[in-house]
Amino acid sequence: MTTIPRTADTARVVHTVIDSPYGPLTLVATDGALSGLYMTEHRHRPPQETFGVPDPGPFTEAARQLGAYFDGELTEFDLPLRMAGTPFQREVWAELEKIPYGETRSYGELAEALGRPGASRAVGLANGRNPVSIIVPCHRVIGSTGSLTGYGGGLDRKQRLLAFESAGTAGPETATLF
């Protein structure tokens, strides 16, 4: 994926909402690049007024790739991203993109991969602030004991996403969340 640097306050921000097996997903774009993907009741969801005006135009490819992912046909996204965050958060998010489909890593393993073996808590905090969940797969990060810990979209969704990826198909058990 290509991460596009943020620009000045003149950025054009728009959003749309698409359906998914995990409930509605709000997609946000900044100057045509995906800058947010939020689930209903997402823990660190920004205020709705920051999402700009509704405009489905910039989301055709993101919606297509998400549909292919949920259909079990896509395991790696290729979309331009514009993710706002601190330099450390951006490092963590870049490391998340390296976790293969159907696999997991612990917060400690991510910290070690970043060359900061004592920073697993900081990695967890940065992981929780990932603005483009699913596409930047923060759901693939687990506790050192294999336990499911934290997920902005809720632990139930994290568990279902991991089960979906390990099974390779959405199946009827993941068809609806609500």
Side-chain angles (χ1 to χ4, degrees), residues 32-160:
L34 193 65
S35 57
L37 185 155
Y38 302 100
M39 299 174 189
T40 305
E41 300 174 12
H42 204 107
R43 183 178 310 141
H44 298 292
R45 183 183 174 107
Q48 184 71 26
E49 57 270 14
T50 65
F51 295 164
V53 298
D55 180 359
F59 303 102
T60 303
E61 183 60 15
R64 185 194 71 73
Q65 287 189 33
L66 283 162
Y69 169 81
F70 293 130
D71 287 343
E73 300 167 357
L74 181 86
T75 60
E76 192 173 311
F77 293 94
D78 184 20
L79 296 166
L81 302 177
R82 181 166 291 172
M83 299 166 54
T86 68
F88 180 73
Q89 288 172 330
R90 294 165 79 81
E91 283 182 59
V92 171
W93 301 336
E95 201 63 35
L96 293 175
E97 292 185 274
K98 296 177 185 177
I99 305 172
Y101 180 91
E103 294 184 23
T104 59
R105 299 289 183 272
S106 72
Y107 296 99
E109 288 172 321
L110 284 178
E112 285 184 35
L114 291 167
R116 301 173 187 204
S120 59
R121 284 199 173 164
V123 165
L125 291 172
N127 188 58
R129 293 290 183 167
N130 170 16
V132 188
S133 60
I134 300 175
I135 291 172
V136 175
C138 52
H139 61 279
R140 296 180 188 156
V141 183
I142 59 173
S144 61
T145 63
S147 60
L148 297 186
T149 58
Y151 185 60
L155 285 180
D156 57 334
R157 286 187 183 109
K158 181 174 187 167
Q159 182 176 28
R160 290 179 53 224

